Amino acid sequence: MAVLDRRTDMPGIIRSFAGPVVLLVRPSGHTWQATLIAVRPATVRERAQLRALAKLHRMQRPPARRRA
């Protein structure tokens, strides 16, 4: 689920949660913790921002080598 962490003003995807703590991740792999009350569902614009970040990250990574 895409959410916005109000404390950092960054959208992210919920990776896991334990009680009041939520582990969030960005498309680049950056992870951080937030409290459950500090996050809210992402808007359409914020979800689009996450998709654009994921696309940019894929474009910047070197191509994967194929195994023969």
Side-chain angles (χ1 to χ4, degrees), residues 11-27:
I13 304 295
I14 294 177
R15 185 176 204 170
S16 65
F17 58 90
V21 178
V22 179
L23 182 64
L24 302 171
V25 65
R26 299 269 288 184

Side-chain angles (χ1 to χ4, degrees), residues 7-50:
R7 185 176 49 88
T8 61
D9 199 31
M10 278 196 322
I13 304 295
I14 294 177
R15 185 176 204 170
S16 65
F17 58 90
V21 178
V22 179
L23 182 64
L24 302 171
V25 65
R26 299 269 288 184
S28 63
H30 173 71
T31 60
W32 75 100
Q33 292 181 348
T35 59
L36 190 57
I37 60 172
V39 298
R40 65 162 171 76
T43 63
V44 172
R45 183 177 179 155
E46 292 158 351
R47 287 192 301 267
Q49 180 184 8
L50 283 173

Side-chain angles (χ1 to χ4, degrees), residues 57-68:
H57 185 67
R58 280 192 308 270
M59 290 172 52
Q60 290 180 342
R61 285 188 355 211
R65 293 183 183 217
R66 294 185 181 188
R67 293 184 181 181

